[in-house]
């Protein structure tokens, strides 16, 4: 089936935003959208789903930003979102220790549950609030270093650093993608996805033999 | 006849006219009689009679329905798949073969009229008249001449046709470079391509599309028009191919979902509390998705477990085959010409098990088999069912029914029972011959079943296997015949000598077992308690409640249905792919990514439309439990508000005149009206957008009153998900679960990238969230 249909342009990537409720996930992506290219992509379903194009080297890539629900009660359903994503941004509120703890859980879950090779980024939001800080920048850096993540602190309100985080994750994804594209024959988007499927189809094969 | 003021004046003229009319009617009557009774020696006569007959007897049926009926062969005579619902496409048409009458036919026609004229003249002439003889000669000569000329013309035409055929063949050969070493599929493609070329000779306007397509090969509108145009011709080779595939799918679907109406119709809002599933039953549904997503290894394990079960089932069926000769009771049950035995595994798999009363005894047999299968796959109490029935029959065999019997034990038990049964057979001389005969038949039947079953087991069967499944080959028909014979002989046997006392009691008990179980099965909230009750109500000899766990039972049914669905879905994918390939072969310019894509989209509607309802029912059967859960929740929370789902205050839209998010709820309820996946997906996207619009509109209204009020907040997933959950509950559509599954299955990944993908994922997430509310729904 897959070879007959158009392979979606390889320059389209899916990035999910994870994090506790109220840390400003959707504000970050809205800010990113509004600041950069006004004429593009008017949001149709609020800030839940946004697309934005940006330049990586000489390539134009399109980022699909998928917002997720941060509430605890939806947490178990998040895999449906990040399973097919190439990148994930875990957002926390620098003014909330609890959200940072939650972010740690997210990172842990992503490491074990997300398809191998998903680019994960840690992002502290609301640095514009002058004296509410509960999580120091060092804490964030420390966690990112431990887990091998990209790290940034931003302010969705002022726009500080917002563009650069998307630029950074896009570059990482593109680099990763072109790398695996070189090593593996070109397939549909999402090398991670297909490797995931390989595992399951392999098991189907073996079951066939036993049947 | 002149009527003046109530008087009827009958004059001579009136009389004459009445007489004339009577003569006319007589004439017509004679004509009709002739048409029916004459041996129809002439071609034209025959076709005319046929058409008259068809007009008189049957309403005009669509030709493809006729072909459909012929494809269903006698093998399934008892399990007739009704024809696909006719497509209500007012534009459908077939190319009138512009073929005029062949010269031979013209000659025959001429001869006919000559003969008629001759007869008329002869009637007028005196027989002895000399002229009569002359006429006779003349007419004979003329007739002969006509025929000779016609024959010559016919030969000429045949030559021309041959030449044309050769040309088309060459053209097809050009398109498919190497005729040697072509695979079967390629040869088929070549044949179809040739037929398409042939067809276009008749339907010249189709050729214009080629040039149009060449001019703008990537115009999506043009492509969809082309596809529509081609499929509008009911006898176009591509249309025929499409219909062939549809019928194949339909014939597999129908036996699976037939009789499922009752079970599915029960799911409605409000759902009676008695129908609510217990938590135990649906715990796997409520928590299923998370676990299987979070740890793929679990599902893998589960898979291998079911594979094991399948294997064991296969063994058990074999075992049954061997035992069946001796064990008469279960097969006594076949008292309907159960050609459907071939499809018996469907019966085993039936999770809803709503069946017509007439097949009660068939139930008995299938349930009996279920029992033994179940017991065996559980690895304890193996052999229980056949053994127990055996006990009933000869009342002499006692066997230790220890749990955890090993398969080898099973084998020895089987051998032992077989021997005992054989002894019994010798005792009952008058029954023996009958029994062995039955055994042979039963074995044949069971083999057929096993064979079918094993071929179903293989998830990815190849084309050949498929052909085997669909073409009722000789063995299939044989089997049907045998069943028929079997049944007949059984009936006659019964008439002659009523079964012996203990025999019949065994039979009774067997059917009690079958009935009580099968009557339990239709009600889905089948709790473990229920099944225990059932077992207690059984005769004392059936002490096997620990072996038969209703839950595992229905779980296996469900697994089997899932396998069916998976393989049917696979077939659908493959058929769509094949159609697409054929399309690109027929219209070369389509062979580009954009062209193929557009072509696939255009093919979707004609493909899914006729089979969607049936296909959807299978999806519903598979998602039956989740639907029940959703229906219970929708019943319980029918008056839920956004606040209840902890939607943030500013998005609860409490001050609106209507129900909040009414527009989105209405839109979501339309999803069931569409029959192609992409239109459904569009609908889902619309629902999400509508939610945002509702927010915007609400705030616009509020602002109108008071400009100082805050503007519409932007909507993130934190709010979208609870709102969507609210919309789902309010929509009262438990079948959304099946809709989502179908969409996920058939929408190509390419479409899942953008907004569509996000909306569908969000809808599925929300559905799962709603499902997970069930424990609270039960307790509160």
């Amino acid at each position: 089936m897959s070879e007959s249909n158009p392979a979606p342009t390889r320059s389209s990537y899916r990035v999910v935003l994870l994090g506790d409720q109220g840390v400003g996930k959707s504000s970050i992506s809205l800010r990113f959208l509004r600041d950069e290219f006004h004429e593009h992509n008017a949001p149709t379903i609020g800030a839940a789903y946004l697309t934005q194009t940006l330049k990586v080297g000489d390539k134009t890539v399109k980022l699909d930003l998928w917002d997720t629900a941060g509430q605890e009660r939806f947490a178990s359903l998040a895999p449906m979102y990040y399973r097919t994503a190439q990148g994930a941004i875990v957002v926390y509120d620098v003014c909330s220790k609890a959200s940072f703890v939650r972010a740690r859980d997210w990172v842990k879950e992503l490491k074990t549950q997300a398809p191998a090779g998903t680019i994960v980024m840690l992002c502290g939001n609301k640095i514009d609030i002058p004296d509410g800080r509960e999580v120091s920048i060092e804490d964030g850096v420390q966690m990112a270093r431990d887990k091998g993540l990209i790290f940034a602190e931003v302010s969705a309100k002022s726009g500080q650093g917002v563009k650069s985080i998307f630029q950074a994750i896009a570059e990482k994804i593109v680099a990763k993608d072109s790398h695996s594209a070189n090593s593996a024959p070109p397939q549909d988007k999402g090398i991670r996805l297909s490797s995931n499927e390989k595992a399951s189809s392999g098991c189907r094969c073996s079951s066939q033999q036993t049947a | 006849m002149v009527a003046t003021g109530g008087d009827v004046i009958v004059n001579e003229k009136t009389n004459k006219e009445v007489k004339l009319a009577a003569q006319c009617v007589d004439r017509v009557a004679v004509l009709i009689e002739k048409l029916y009774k004459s041996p129809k020696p002439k071609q034209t006569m025959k076709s005319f009679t046929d058409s008259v007959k068809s007009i008189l007897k049957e309403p005009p049926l669509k030709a493809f329905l006729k072909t459909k009926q012929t494809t269903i062969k006698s093998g399934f005579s008892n399990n007739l798949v009704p024809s696909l619902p006719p497509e209500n496409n007012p534009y459908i048409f077939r190319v009138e073969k512009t073929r005029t009458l062949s010269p031979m036919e013209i000659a025959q026609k001429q001869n006919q009229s000559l003969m008629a004229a001759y007869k008329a003249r002869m009637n007028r002439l005196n027989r002895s008249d000399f002229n009569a003889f002359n006429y006779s000669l003349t007419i004979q000569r003329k007739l002969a001449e006509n025929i000779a000329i016609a024959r010559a013309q016919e030969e000429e035409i045949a030559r021309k046709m041959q030449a044309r055929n050769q040309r088309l063949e060459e053209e097809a050969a050009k398109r498919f470079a190497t005729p040697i070493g072509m695979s079967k599929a390629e040869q088929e493609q070549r044949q179809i391509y040739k037929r398409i070329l042939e067809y276009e000779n008749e339907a010249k306007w189709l050729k214009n599309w080629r040039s149009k397509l060449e001019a703008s090969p990537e115009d999506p509108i043009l492509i969809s028009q082309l596809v529509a145009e081609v499929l509008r011709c009911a006898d176009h080779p591509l249309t025929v191919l499409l219909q062939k595939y549809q019928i194949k799918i339909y014939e597999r679907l129908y036996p699976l979902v037939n009789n499922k109406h009752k079970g599915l119709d029960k799911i409605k809002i409000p759902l009676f509390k008695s129908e609510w599933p217990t938590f135990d039953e649906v715990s796997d549904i409520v928590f299923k998705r998370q676990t299987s997503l979070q740890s793929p290894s679990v599902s893998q394990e589960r898979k291998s477990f079911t594979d094991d079960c399948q294997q064991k089932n296969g063994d058990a069926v074999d075992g049954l085959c061997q035992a069946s000769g001796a064990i008469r009771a279960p097969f006594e049950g076949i008292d309907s010409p159960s050609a459907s035995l071939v499809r018996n595994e469907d019966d085993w798999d039936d999770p809803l098990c709503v069946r017509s009363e007439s097949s009660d005894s068939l139930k008995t047999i299938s349930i009996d088999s279920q029992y033994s299968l179940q017991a065996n796959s559980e690895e304890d109490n193996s052999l229980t069912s056949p053994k127990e029935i055996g006990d009933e029959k000869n009342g002499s065999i006692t066997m230790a029914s220890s749990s955890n019997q090993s398969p080898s034990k099973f084998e020895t038990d089987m051998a032992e029972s077989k021997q005992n049964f054989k002894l019994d057979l010798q005792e009952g001389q008058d029954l023996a011959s009958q029994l062995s005969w039955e055994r042979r038949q039963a074995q044949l039947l069971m083999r057929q079943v096993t064979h079918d079953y094993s071929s179903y087991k293989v998830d990815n069967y190849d084309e050949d296997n498929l052909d085997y499944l669909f073409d009722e080959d000789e063995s299939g028909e044989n089997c049907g015949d045998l069943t028929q014979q079997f049944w007949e002989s059984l009936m006659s046997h019964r008439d002659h000598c009523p079964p012996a006392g203990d025999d019949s009691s065994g039979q009774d008990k067997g059917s009690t077992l079958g009935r009580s179980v099968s009557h339990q099965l239709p009600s889905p909230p089948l709790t473990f308690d229920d099944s225990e009750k059932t077992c207690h109500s059984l005769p004392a000899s059936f002490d096997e409640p620990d072996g038969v766990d209703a839950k595992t039972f229905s779980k296996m049914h469900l697994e089997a249905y899932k396998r069916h669905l998976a393989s049917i879905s696979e077939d659908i994918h493959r058929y769509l792919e094949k159609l697409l390939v054929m399309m690109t072969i027929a219209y070369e310019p389509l062979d580009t990514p954009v062209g193929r894509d557009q072509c696939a989209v255009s093919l979707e509607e004609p493909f899914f439309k006729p089979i969607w309802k049936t296909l959807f029912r299978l999806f519903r059967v598979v998602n039956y439990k989740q639907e029940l859960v959703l229906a219970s929740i929708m019943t319980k929370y029918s008056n839920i508000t956004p606040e209840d789902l902890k939607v943030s205050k500013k998005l609860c839209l409490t001050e609106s005149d209507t129900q909040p998010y009414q527009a989105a709820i209405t839109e979501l309820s339309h999803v069931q009206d569409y029959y192609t996946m992409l239109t459904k997906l569009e609908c889902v996207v619309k629902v999400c957008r509508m939610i945002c619009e509702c927010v915007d509109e609400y705030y616009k209204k509020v602002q109108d009153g008071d400009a100082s009020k805050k503007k519409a907040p932007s909507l993130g997933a934190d709010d979208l998900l609870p709102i969507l959950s609210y919309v789902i509950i309010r929509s009262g559509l438990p079948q959304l679960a099946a809709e989502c599954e179908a969409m996920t299955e058939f929408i190509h990944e390419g479409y899942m990238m953008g907004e569509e993908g996000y909306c569908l994922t969000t809808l599925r997430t929300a559905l799962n969230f709603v499902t997970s509310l069930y424990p609270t729904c039960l307790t509160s």
Side-chain angles (χ1 to χ4, degrees):
Chain A
M1 182 99 191
S2 49
E3 35 333 300
S4 69
N5 277 282
T9 44
R10 291 193 124 265
S11 51
S12 177
Y13 300 104
R14 184 176 299 171
V15 174
V16 292
L17 290 137
L18 301 164
D20 209 354
Q21 185 180 19
V23 296
K25 298 180 295 291
S26 47
S27 312
I28 291 177
S29 51
L30 260 186
R31 164 63 67 185
F32 176 50
L33 185 81
R34 299 243 162 93
D35 269 6
E36 298 308 319
F37 306 93
H38 290 278
E39 73 277 21
H40 275 302
N41 314 322
T44 47
I45 33 177
Y49 169 83
L50 300 169
T51 63
Q52 183 62 286
T53 51
L54 35 81
K55 279 219 176 295
V56 176
D58 53 349
K59 260 167 91 181
T60 305
V61 298
K62 188 175 141 228
L63 285 189
D64 268 18
L65 302 177
W66 284 29
D67 195 9
T68 63
Q71 294 94 320
E72 193 72 51
R73 59 203 162 116
F74 296 119
S76 60
L77 304 165
M80 291 185 100
Y81 288 94
Y82 62 67
R83 224 172 11 145
T84 54
Q86 286 79 49
I89 302 178
V90 178
V91 184
Y92 67 91
D93 179 355
V94 293
C95 303
S96 153
K97 188 83 191 163
S99 74
F100 187 66
V101 173
R102 192 88 181 80
R104 193 186 295 275
D105 295 342
W106 277 120
V107 170
K108 241 184 245 165
E109 188 184 323
L110 282 172
K111 284 288 162 197
T112 52
Q113 304 298 332
T118 309
I119 308 289
V120 182
M121 178 170 202
L122 184 67
C123 178
N125 190 20
K126 306 194 185 174
I127 52 170
D128 52 292
I129 300 175
D131 29 57
R133 206 182 247 275
E134 284 184 16
V135 185
S136 70
I137 191 162
E138 286 78 24
D139 290 345
V141 171
Q142 183 63 40
M143 177 154 88
R145 196 181 296 141
D146 289 350
K147 310 275 180 190
L149 317 171
I150 326 171
F151 176 72
E153 282 195 341
V154 300
S155 163
K157 196 170 180 189
S158 69
Q160 185 188 342
V162 170
K163 196 197 168 184
S164 60
I165 57 164
F166 289 104
Q167 189 69 42
I169 200 164
E171 276 167 14
K172 256 284 181 78
I173 292 172
V174 169
K176 175 105 192 162
D177 194 48
S178 53
H179 175 72
S180 38
N182 288 340
S183 56
Q187 293 172 353
D188 267 19
K189 64 161 190 268
I191 297 305
R192 283 151 292 274
L193 211 168
S194 54
S195 71
N196 204 29
E197 275 175 356
K198 240 174 241 160
S200 66
S201 69
C203 114
R204 201 178 301 148
C205 281
S206 63
S207 74
Q208 216 174 334
Q209 279 156 7
T210 55
Chain B
M1 193 165 13
V2 184
T4 48
D7 295 312
V8 178
I9 302 163
V10 180
N11 56 25
E12 202 172 316
K13 202 181 163 198
T14 322
N15 268 335
K16 235 181 185 173
E17 278 168 358
V18 169
K19 217 173 180 180
L20 189 65
Q23 275 173 348
C24 284
V25 169
D26 281 349
R27 254 252 169 81
V28 170
V30 168
L31 262 176
I32 287 180
E33 202 178 8
K34 261 190 186 169
L35 285 176
Y36 271 97
K37 286 183 178 166
S38 64
K40 305 166 263 185
K42 302 266 154 85
Q43 181 68 32
T44 46
M45 194 70 149
K46 182 171 187 286
S47 61
F48 177 60
T49 329
D50 283 350
S51 66
V52 167
K53 269 185 187 166
S54 65
I55 288 164
L56 289 175
K57 277 184 182 162
E58 52 177 347
L61 272 178
K62 292 227 182 288
F64 98 87
L65 288 185
K66 276 191 199 162
T67 55
K68 156 119 203 62
Q69 277 156 358
T70 53
T71 55
I72 303 162
K73 290 189 192 139
S74 52
F76 291 95
S77 55
N78 233 37
N79 205 2
L80 251 190
V81 181
S83 48
L84 268 174
E87 261 178 288
N88 295 321
N89 184 353
Y91 301 109
I92 208 151
F93 70 102
R94 42 194 66 242
V95 173
E96 287 306 325
K97 294 271 176 190
T98 44
R99 191 181 75 111
T100 42
L101 290 174
S102 75
M104 212 54 171
E105 282 166 334
I106 294 172
Q108 277 171 342
K109 224 176 193 175
Q110 280 175 348
N111 285 356
Q112 225 176 329
S113 49
L114 270 175
M115 280 305 283
Y118 171 71
K119 270 185 192 151
R121 190 161 281 193
M122 288 305 278
N123 279 345
R124 262 180 279 139
L125 283 173
N126 191 339
R127 292 254 158 194
S128 59
D129 199 318
F130 171 71
N131 278 339
F133 181 66
N134 259 353
Y135 277 133
S136 152
L137 276 182
T138 323
I139 198 131
Q140 275 178 28
R141 202 178 60 233
K142 244 200 178 133
L143 290 177
E145 259 172 23
N146 270 344
I147 293 291
I149 291 166
R151 193 164 288 145
Q153 278 175 340
E154 197 116 279
E155 272 165 18
E156 180 60 28
I157 284 174
R159 253 200 303 283
K160 272 187 193 160
M161 286 295 282
Q162 210 175 356
R164 200 185 80 171
N165 246 349
Q166 211 158 7
R167 192 170 51 80
L168 289 175
E169 188 81 52
E170 272 162 22
E171 237 172 282
K174 242 188 276 167
R175 185 80 175 78
F176 296 84
T178 49
I180 306 149
M182 269 200 300
S183 74
K184 211 173 152 192
E186 279 171 326
Q187 273 169 4
E188 202 185 309
Q189 284 173 355
R190 189 184 146 140
Q191 279 306 312
I192 295 173
Y193 183 64
K194 205 183 116 188
R195 256 179 275 149
I196 292 172
L197 292 180
E198 235 172 70
Y199 190 83
E200 284 185 7
N201 265 337
E202 310 283 353
K204 298 256 195 280
W205 78 94
L206 278 171
K207 281 188 172 167
N208 298 337
W209 283 96
R210 284 187 184 278
S211 45
K212 271 194 225 170
L213 196 64
E214 224 130 289
S216 48
E218 301 210 335
D219 178 2
I221 298 168
L222 184 77
I223 292 172
S224 60
Q225 278 174 342
L226 168 73
V227 173
E229 188 73 15
V230 165
L231 296 181
R232 208 154 67 86
C233 309
D235 44 1
H236 193 284
L238 283 170
T239 318
V240 172
L241 190 69
L242 172 83
Q243 280 161 4
K244 191 180 99 187
Y245 288 148
Q246 280 171 339
I247 288 165
K248 274 186 180 182
I249 295 286
Y250 186 73
E251 281 178 354
R252 284 190 69 189
L253 280 172
Y254 186 82
L256 288 174
V257 298
N258 189 22
N259 298 329
K260 294 297 180 301
H261 290 285
K262 279 188 211 158
L264 291 176
D265 286 349
K266 265 198 302 199
I267 305 178
K268 54 176 185 267
I269 314 290
L271 188 73
F272 289 121
K273 194 117 194 185
S274 60
E275 303 280 343
W276 290 23
T278 64
F279 179 69
D280 276 354
E281 282 173 316
V282 293
S283 57
D284 55 327
I285 299 292
V286 175
F287 298 115
K288 176 188 70 183
R289 293 250 155 63
Q290 291 110 300
T291 49
S292 70
L293 276 174
Q294 276 164 8
S295 50
S297 59
V298 170
S299 58
Q300 203 170 318
E301 255 169 50
R302 196 179 296 159
K303 181 149 177 57
S304 67
F305 169 74
T306 49
D307 285 338
D308 279 353
C309 286
Q310 280 173 11
Q311 186 108 33
K312 274 165 199 148
N313 282 357
D315 291 347
V317 172
D318 282 336
L320 263 183
C321 279
Q322 286 161 18
S324 59
I327 303 164
R328 207 165 143 248
F331 292 101
E332 202 92 312
I334 314 176
D335 58 12
S336 64
S338 57
S340 59
L341 247 191
V342 184
R343 298 244 166 174
N344 215 358
E345 59 129 345
D346 299 336
D347 296 332
W348 295 344
D349 296 342
D350 196 342
L352 307 177
C353 210
V354 183
R355 257 177 278 154
S356 60
E357 309 317 318
S358 66
S359 61
D360 245 318
S361 46
L362 188 62
K363 265 184 222 166
T364 316
I365 184 178
S366 64
I367 296 297
D368 279 348
S369 334
Q370 270 170 354
Y371 256 68
S372 62
L373 292 184
Q374 186 60 34
N376 191 32
S377 67
E378 288 272 285
E379 280 208 62
D380 47 30
N381 276 328
S382 56
L383 239 186
T384 313
S385 174
K387 188 199 63 168
E388 297 288 354
I389 295 158
D391 270 351
E392 292 306 315
K393 192 188 166 291
N394 56 30
S396 66
I397 304 172
T398 44
M399 239 186 272
S401 109
S402 65
S403 26
N404 295 326
Q405 273 175 319
S406 64
S408 63
K409 177 91 169 132
F410 172 84
E411 289 296 327
T412 51
D413 283 351
M414 189 61 96
E416 208 180 321
S417 64
K418 244 171 96 179
Q419 209 134 40
N420 280 326
F421 285 134
K422 269 182 186 154
L423 282 172
D424 267 30
L425 283 177
Q426 279 164 7
E427 279 171 32
Q429 273 297 340
D430 55 335
L431 271 176
S433 60
Q434 179 66 26
L435 278 173
S436 65
W437 188 83
E438 276 174 20
R439 173 191 169 153
R440 267 204 311 280
Q441 304 313 320
Q443 231 166 352
L444 267 172
L445 276 175
M446 290 309 280
R447 275 216 186 110
Q448 181 70 27
V449 173
T450 329
H451 193 134
D452 274 16
Y453 186 75
S454 61
S455 60
Y456 266 83
K457 257 199 312 191
V458 183
D459 275 334
N460 302 319
Y461 30 64
D462 55 21
E463 186 62 23
D464 296 337
N465 260 338
L466 266 182
D467 285 346
Y468 162 74
L469 279 175
F470 290 118
D471 305 338
E472 283 86 12
D473 52 10
E474 274 181 281
S475 69
E477 276 164 29
N478 272 347
C479 186
D481 290 344
L482 285 177
T483 325
Q484 181 76 31
Q485 287 170 16
F486 180 32
W487 175 63
E488 277 165 11
S489 77
L490 207 64
M491 290 314 280
S492 63
H493 174 72
R494 266 198 191 154
D495 289 345
H496 292 313
C497 48
D502 53 354
D503 196 349
S504 72
S505 77
Q507 194 189 327
D508 279 349
K509 274 167 193 163
S511 57
T512 323
L513 170 69
R515 270 199 205 107
S516 50
V517 172
S518 60
H519 281 181
Q520 284 300 328
L521 277 176
S523 61
L526 176 64
T527 59
F528 186 62
D529 295 2
D530 279 345
S531 80
E532 265 186 333
K533 239 179 276 160
T534 316
C535 290
H536 287 317
S537 70
L538 290 175
S541 55
F542 287 87
D543 48 355
E544 50 175 352
D546 35 320
V548 183
D549 177 346
K551 226 172 131 188
T552 330
F553 217 55
S554 62
K555 203 166 133 196
M556 286 186 69
H557 285 170
L558 200 65
E559 293 286 339
Y561 263 84
K562 277 182 189 161
R563 283 195 301 276
H564 276 296
L565 182 60
S567 81
I568 287 176
S569 302
E570 219 168 271
D571 282 352
I572 291 177
H573 281 303
R574 201 175 38 234
Y575 290 154
L576 277 171
E577 173 70 16
K578 275 188 180 173
L579 277 172
L580 188 62
V581 167
M582 208 52 237
M583 202 74 200
T584 51
I585 286 171
Y587 296 94
E588 237 173 316
L590 284 181
D591 203 5
T592 61
V594 179
R596 272 198 302 259
D597 188 31
Q598 190 54 42
C599 196
V601 172
S602 322
L603 277 173
E604 201 193 58
E605 179 180 332
F607 188 87
F608 278 110
K609 197 176 175 183
I611 58 171
W612 171 246
K613 270 191 181 152
T614 326
L615 181 63
F616 183 56
R617 216 181 293 156
L618 184 57
F619 270 100
R620 289 193 66 186
V621 169
V622 168
N623 289 288
Y624 181 72
K625 273 196 194 170
Q626 195 180 5
E627 275 193 28
L628 265 185
V629 170
L630 286 173
S632 314
I633 292 167
M634 286 166 182
T635 309
K636 170 106 179 180
Y637 298 126
S638 60
N639 288 317
I640 202 166
T641 59
E643 287 97 324
D644 297 334
L645 284 163
K646 294 178 192 146
V647 175
S648 56
K649 267 249 159 56
K650 54 188 180 189
L651 291 168
C652 287
L653 317 190
T654 37
E655 287 164 46
S656 53
D657 326 323
T658 54
Q659 204 180 1
Y661 300 106
Q662 181 56 54
I665 296 166
T666 316
E667 183 62 43
L668 185 61
S669 63
H670 289 321
V671 78
Q672 55 183 341
D673 303 338
Y674 302 104
Y675 40 76
T676 71
M677 304 304 132
L678 290 180
T679 44
K680 280 174 190 294
L681 191 58
E682 244 168 62
C683 178
V684 172
V685 173
K686 247 191 254 168
V687 170
C688 292
R689 289 185 176 180
M690 209 68 95
I691 288 174
C692 292
E693 271 169 37
C694 284
V695 174
D696 286 346
E697 256 163 50
Y698 176 79
Y699 276 90
K700 223 184 255 169
K701 252 189 209 165
V702 173
Q703 273 174 339
D704 279 350
D706 182 2
S708 68
K709 280 215 173 167
K710 60 212 162 186
K711 55 182 234 204
S714 71
L715 190 85
D718 285 346
D719 298 307
L720 181 64
L721 215 50
I723 295 173
L724 197 58
S725 306
Y726 159 80
V727 169
I728 287 170
I729 295 175
R730 281 286 188 149
S731 75
L733 284 177
Q735 63 264 42
L736 274 175
E739 297 274 8
C740 274
E741 288 297 311
M743 277 187 260
T744 317
E745 174 67 46
F746 293 116
I747 293 174
H748 187 261
E749 233 176 84
Y751 291 94
M752 299 291 251
M753 267 310 275
E755 196 177 11
E756 290 87 355
Y758 182 76
C759 290
L760 184 57
T761 309
T762 308
L763 181 68
R764 290 174 65 202
T765 311
L767 258 178
N768 283 349
F769 171 69
V770 172
T771 310
S772 72
L773 292 176
Y774 194 54
T776 3
C777 166
L778 274 182
T779 51
S780 64

